[in-house]
């Protein structure tokens, strides 16, 4: 399994997930840079993602929805703030309605995804920072650790296909 560590810190308002992949940094970068590849790994296995808009450049926006086993759709967005291809990118991640308007009742996180070469593999560090400890606790209660871990753990299978 790619995910090797998950930890959250309510005082720092952060959730950090670390994963390792048996692929070069550029290959892992391509998954996030290509909307069709991103669809294969963004949602948890039972909530596949559909990427609608994908502009992985500073000031760009990515919009998507995940579909539940019952067919219910859950939308979200990224506002891309920085890109250092193929090493890292940063974005605000939020929940949205099905027209991709931000949902102000749900937390927004600031995210930094970093990819580094580590012993011939790629180590990915996913850091999400929330506006408050309550916001972090809310997404923890919603199952973010399980959902994100399930999504990230799909990457090895996707790379093998």
């Amino acid at each position: 399994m790619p995910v090797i560590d998950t930890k959250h810190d309510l005082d720092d308002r952060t959730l950090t997930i670390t994963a390792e992949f048996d692929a070069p940094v550029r290959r892992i970068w391509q998954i996030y840079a290509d909307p069709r590849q991103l669809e294969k790994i963004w949602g948890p296995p039972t909530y596949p993602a559909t990427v609608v808009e994908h502009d992985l450049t500073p000031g760009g926006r990515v919009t998507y929805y995940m579909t539940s086993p019952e067919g219910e759709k859950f939308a979200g967005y990224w506002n891309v703030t920085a890109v250092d291809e193929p090493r890292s990118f940063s974005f605000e991640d939020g929940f949205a309605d099905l027209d991709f308007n931000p949902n102000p009742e749900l937390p927004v996180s600031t995210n930094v995804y970093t990819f580094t070469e580590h012993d011939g593999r790629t180590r990915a560090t996913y850091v999400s920072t929330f506006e408050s400890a309550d916001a972090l606790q809310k997404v923890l209660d919603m199952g973010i650790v399980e959902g994100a871990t399930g999504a990230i753990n799909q990457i090895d299978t996707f790379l093998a296909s």
Side-chain angles (χ1 to χ4, degrees), residues 63-77:
T63 59
Y64 63 90
Y65 61 88
M66 293 181 275
T67 305
S68 76
E70 298 76 33
E72 191 174 2
K73 294 179 179 174
F74 300 92
Y77 65 90

Side-chain angles (χ1 to χ4, degrees), residues 23-69:
V25 167
R26 185 153 296 279
R27 179 64 189 102
I28 300 303
W29 174 267
Q30 289 170 345
I31 292 172
Y32 292 91
D34 177 343
R36 302 297 71 90
Q37 292 183 54
L38 181 61
E39 287 178 336
K40 304 296 185 192
I41 63 93
W42 184 247
T46 58
Y47 284 72
T50 300
V51 176
V52 176
E53 181 181 4
H54 188 279
D55 181 4
L56 192 62
T57 60
R61 186 168 166 91
V62 174
T63 59
Y64 63 90
Y65 61 88
M66 293 181 275
T67 305
S68 76

Side-chain angles (χ1 to χ4, degrees), residues 10 13 106-108 130-142:
L10 289 173
R13 308 172 334 275
L106 291 172
V108 173
F130 292 83
E131 298 163 338
S132 67
D134 288 342
L136 172 55
Q137 189 61 58
K138 185 169 192 161
V139 297
L140 290 170
D141 293 344
M142 292 169 67

Side-chain angles (χ1 to χ4, degrees), residues 3-147:
V3 173
I4 59 173
D5 187 46
T6 62
K7 59 184 165 199
H8 65 272
D9 184 325
L10 289 173
D11 292 332
D12 286 342
R13 308 172 334 275
T14 58
L15 170 63
T16 303
I17 300 175
T18 306
E20 286 191 358
F21 306 101
D22 192 20
V25 167
R26 185 153 296 279
R27 179 64 189 102
I28 300 303
W29 174 267
Q30 289 170 345
I31 292 172
Y32 292 91
D34 177 343
R36 302 297 71 90
Q37 292 183 54
L38 181 61
E39 287 178 336
K40 304 296 185 192
I41 63 93
W42 184 247
T46 58
Y47 284 72
T50 300
V51 176
V52 176
E53 181 181 4
H54 188 279
D55 181 4
L56 192 62
T57 60
R61 186 168 166 91
V62 174
T63 59
Y64 63 90
Y65 61 88
M66 293 181 275
T67 305
S68 76
E70 298 76 33
E72 191 174 2
K73 294 179 179 174
F74 300 92
Y77 65 90
W78 299 352
N79 289 327
V80 181
T81 55
V83 175
D84 181 15
E85 182 180 345
R87 292 173 285 281
S88 67
F89 66 100
S90 304
F91 60 100
E92 294 175 346
D93 184 17
F95 296 88
D97 64 24
L98 292 179
D99 292 322
F100 304 109
N101 299 305
N103 181 341
E105 295 178 20
L106 291 172
V108 173
S109 59
T110 301
N111 295 267
V112 179
Y113 286 12
T114 306
F115 311 107
T116 56
E117 191 278 328
H118 183 76
D119 294 335
R121 300 167 50 96
T122 296
R123 177 165 286 174
T125 306
Y126 306 95
V127 180
S128 301
T129 304
F130 292 83
E131 298 163 338
S132 67
D134 288 342
L136 172 55
Q137 189 61 58
K138 185 169 192 161
V139 297
L140 290 170
D141 293 344
M142 292 169 67
I144 192 170
V145 171
E146 298 81 3

